[in-house]
Amino acid sequence: MTAAGRPGAGWWWLILPAFLLLVVFYVAPILQVLAISVTEPEPGLGNYERLFTSGAVQRVIVTTLRICLITTVLALLLGYAIAYAITLASPRARGWWILAVLVPLWISVLVRAFAWVTLLRRQGLVNNTLMEAGIISEPLPLVWNEFGIVVGMVHYMVPFAVLPMLASMREIDPRLLAAARGLGGSRGQVFRRVFLPLSMPGVIAAAVLVFIFTLGFYITPAILGGGKTLMVAEWIGLQILDLIRWGLGTMMATMLVVAILVTLAVFSRIVDLRRIFGAGA
Amino acid sequence: MSDARGHALGLKGLTKRYGEFTAVEDVSLEVGQGEFLTLLGPSGSGKTTILMAVAGFVAPSAGAILLDGRDITPLPPEKRNFGMVFQGYALFPHMTVAENIAFPLRVRGLSRADRDAKVRAALDLVQLATFAERLPRQLSGGQQQRVALARALVFDPALLLLDEPLSALDKKLRAELQEELKALHRRVGRTFVNVTHDQEEALSLSDRIAILNHGRLVQQGAPGLLYERPRTRFVADFLGKSNFLEGTVVEAAAGGFALDSGVSVRLPDGAAPPPAGSRSLLSLRPEKVALLAEGEAADNVAEGRILSWSYLGAGFALRVATERLGEIRASLPSWQAAIAPAEGLPVRLGWSAEAAVPVEEDAA
Ligand SMILES: Nc1ncnc2c1ncn2[C@@H]1O[C@H](COP(=O)(O)OP(=O)(O)OP(=O)(O)O)[C@@H](O)[C@H]1O
Ligand SMILES: [Mg+2]
């Protein structure tokens, strides 16, 4: 893979902006947040004890992790298919594809969340169409629940999943695919044994990026969850702004940061990156 | 490896057009069982296109590809069962050497035990047994090339296709691997089709060479035949070096002819001489030109002065300006050089009547 240069270096740059953003917006306030979480309402680890004792706290964490995992998996699957199609497309078609992927990024997350509400609510386009077609007799509960949140979050995250995967797919030497077929591999085998493993760096980068992003989602779950399904960010807002429980809110915020750091650490340590990326020793 | 003899390949009027541009035009070729054929030609002459058509990656615009007489033109690449060594080798970077070599076996659904045995045999064949667990990037160019060969041979392919397998290597290693490739061909007894633009490689490796220019087959034959009896100026020039002598035929008889410039040519048995009065072009290899001593006779003699010379270790290369025939290049083995070459030195060159070969001017 001499032509591909340093294939491993690419994805670190891709998550770097997100990582920097998190550092800038978290590291400065984080010490203060950390301080509050062990001093309010009284000094000690009382707030952290709640992680083990409070059913409500645990429920929020489990819900958040579940939604984030589902969202990550779906965004990766969709994103992979799109990135694959873009990689195979002719150069002209490729431009249009990429534009189509990027355009949603320029639309406010608020607008997109409300658009999904109008589509998915009881008398929304989706339910109306299905009922008129006689497929269902009762409107489906498509929004103000986890389903709605996942739809909105997947929609938001797909471009973020596509871009790192696309970058890593474009680094794959097309001669390798030709060689694999020439050696007797069917299209499916070539995909599974050559293309997929070689695109894994992009998949991992996308997974880390999407998962970290989704952990802190606020607006989309707030609107599409309708206050019934709480994710961590909204829950923190609730504690601090409405219930004025600073200690509990900052404890959860700290846990959010910890979760992000752990995710990054896990992927950079457990996974043998050099092996995956085929980077020079 | 089984001891089957490999398969015969036939190209029938193979043509490939890209829009208006014809990359390969009406190429017909037969490659016998177990034969080592080299497609030789300058850059852009259509070598890779022909090889890719044989491999199934390029659909011919016209013509057919036959394997043992059976038309395989419509078969997709993975159904052809050909081994391929790509330019740059195309080893899978995420697989070890052993996994790379096992790939063709894995996609054919062989059991683990069968795979392991064959991979080991293939590694032994290319003398890389101790490198099985390395990744391709941990190998030298020559080792990678051998892995590519092992991977192409491990599944007993009907035919081995090689696209400039040695071009990425330095000169010394290339010479070494040429030897190895030749020995390998003899050992496995498969049919090899090799592509190169390196004439030395073509001469040393092949049973037969097919020379291409502008997508057309110019001449094919055994290396010795092509070298000694080039049909056109292009072949004479591309395969080795050549002087070209032009003139009008003044005397023609059954065994030979002479030009107005005084050059006499003896033809091999059965070759018809050109008619008297026609223009003729002769190819004369520099190494067939000798430096004559004082009073020494030869069929053809040309006097002149040394224009320039260079010392090549094994020999000297001289450029001599002659009065009658213009510039003539001669290469002399060092041990035979009777003189110390110097610019401006008067010399007598001589060559036998068999040395010059009539060739055709290239079609435009
Ligand atoms: N996909 C293509 N579209 C248009 N023209 C092509 C295509 N592939 C090859 N050609 C043209 O066909 C001609 C022959 O190409 P080919 O690759 O067979 O040359 P080659 O003999 O292998 O040269 P080299 O020694 O440089 O590899 C070239 O002029 C090339 O530009
Ligand atoms: Mg080529």
Side-chain angles (χ1 to χ4, degrees), chain B residues 2-350:
Chain B
S2 78
D3 46 17
R5 284 295 294 158
H7 293 249
L9 177 75
L11 305 182
K12 284 241 149 53
L14 187 72
T15 299
K16 179 65 192 179
R17 281 182 222 98
Y18 292 108
E20 293 287 286
F21 179 77
T22 307
V24 175
E25 193 170 352
D26 195 23
V27 169
S28 295
L29 258 179
E30 294 290 332
V31 190
Q33 293 188 348
E35 195 176 21
F36 195 129
L37 175 96
T38 295
L39 299 172
L40 178 67
S43 191
S45 57
K47 308 180 296 290
T48 298
T49 308
I50 293 177
L51 203 71
M52 289 299 149
V54 173
F57 293 112
V58 164
S61 313
I65 297 157
L66 310 176
L67 188 69
D68 293 332
R70 192 169 54 95
D71 189 356
I72 57 161
T73 319
L75 280 188
E78 68 269 21
K79 295 274 168 61
R80 300 196 178 194
N81 212 35
F82 296 165
M84 266 212 90
V85 176
F86 284 74
Q87 192 163 4
Y89 316 137
L91 298 178
F92 305 125
H94 60 297
M95 298 184 196
T96 64
V97 167
E99 286 166 350
N100 261 285
I101 298 175
F103 179 86
L105 305 174
R106 197 179 267 274
V107 297
R108 284 171 175 75
L110 265 73
S111 76
R112 215 197 142 79
D114 287 353
R115 270 198 330 248
D116 288 350
K118 283 188 187 242
V119 167
R120 224 170 305 122
L123 279 169
D124 286 339
L125 187 71
V126 295
Q127 290 148 27
L128 281 177
T130 52
F131 294 84
E133 295 314 313
R134 297 242 196 131
L135 289 172
R137 65 185 157 82
Q138 299 166 324
L139 300 179
S140 73
Q143 289 162 346
Q144 290 184 22
Q145 193 266 354
R146 287 186 292 183
V147 174
L149 267 174
R151 187 178 66 175
L153 283 168
V154 69
F155 58 101
D156 257 340
L159 189 68
L160 190 68
L161 306 174
L162 306 124
D163 192 357
E164 312 219 9
L166 307 177
S167 63
L169 308 172
D170 64 56
K171 203 172 150 86
K172 195 155 152 40
L173 191 58
R174 195 155 59 206
E176 250 173 66
L177 287 171
Q178 273 176 21
E179 288 299 316
E180 277 186 35
L181 196 59
K182 203 168 170 172
L184 191 71
H185 173 247
R186 235 175 284 129
R187 237 172 340 192
V188 299
R190 304 279 130 188
T191 311
F192 281 36
V193 178
N194 181 38
V195 158
T196 187
H197 56 241
D198 178 345
Q199 42 119 350
E200 277 176 39
E201 180 185 323
L203 287 171
S204 82
L205 286 178
S206 326
D207 296 322
R208 205 147 50 88
I209 301 175
I211 297 193
L212 295 158
N213 194 22
H214 299 306
R216 263 177 269 186
L217 181 63
V218 186
Q219 192 178 1
Q220 54 165 317
L225 180 84
L226 287 193
Y227 191 80
E228 296 298 333
R229 295 270 136 203
R231 199 175 59 76
T232 70
R233 177 197 270 264
F234 172 79
V235 174
D237 209 23
F238 194 71
L239 203 62
K241 296 195 173 91
S242 184
N243 294 297
F244 291 101
L245 310 174
E246 238 175 316
T248 307
V249 178
V250 288
E251 240 185 278
F257 61 95
L259 298 186
D260 55 353
S261 54
V263 179
S264 66
V265 177
R266 191 150 51 236
L267 291 169
D269 293 342
S278 64
R279 297 290 294 169
S280 179
L281 181 68
L282 302 177
S283 155
L284 176 63
R285 299 286 185 198
E287 71 274 12
K288 294 187 177 173
V289 179
L291 207 55
L292 299 181
E294 206 42 56
E296 193 180 341
D299 295 344
N300 293 288
V301 176
E303 292 181 2
R305 285 172 186 281
I306 295 180
L307 264 181
S308 68
W309 61 279
S310 38
Y311 177 61
L312 304 171
F316 288 97
L318 303 183
R319 278 172 59 225
V320 176
T322 66
E323 288 136 33
R324 276 181 303 126
L325 300 170
E327 185 184 318
I328 292 186
R329 282 176 298 168
S331 60
L332 314 166
S334 309
W335 59 272
Q336 251 185 358
I339 52 151
E343 272 167 43
L345 193 74
V347 287
R348 283 174 74 227
L349 301 176

Side-chain angles (χ1 to χ4, degrees), chain A residues 48-170:
Chain A
Y48 290 89
E49 244 178 74
R50 302 284 284 272
L51 285 172
F52 305 99
T53 54
S54 161
V57 169
Q58 287 170 352
R59 207 160 38 247
V60 169
I61 291 175
V62 169
T63 307
T64 305
L65 286 179
R66 185 174 56 234
I67 292 177
C68 289
L69 283 175
I70 294 172
T71 302
T72 305
V73 168
L74 292 178
L76 285 184
L77 286 176
L78 262 173
Y80 197 93
I82 294 172
Y84 188 58
I86 295 175
T87 308
L88 297 187
S90 68
R92 248 175 66 91
R94 192 175 294 151
W96 289 108
W97 269 103
I98 292 177
L99 193 69
V101 168
L102 292 180
V103 161
L105 287 178
W106 300 327
I107 301 171
S108 154
V109 59
L110 212 61
V111 173
R112 286 198 269 166
F114 280 120
W116 278 113
V117 172
T118 47
L119 284 175
L120 297 177
R121 68 198 156 95
R122 283 181 75 82
Q123 295 85 31
L125 190 64
V126 174
N127 270 321
N128 279 349
T129 311
L130 288 176
M131 295 216 328
E132 275 163 28
I135 297 167
I136 52 172
S137 51
E138 281 283 299
L140 294 172
L142 298 177
V143 73
W144 296 309
N145 52 21
E146 269 186 49
F147 179 84
I149 295 179
V150 167
V151 168
M153 284 183 32
V154 167
H155 180 232
Y156 188 85
M157 290 317 302
V158 160
F160 293 94
V162 168
L163 295 177
M165 292 197 284
L166 184 61
S168 120
M169 287 179 192
R170 305 258 324 245

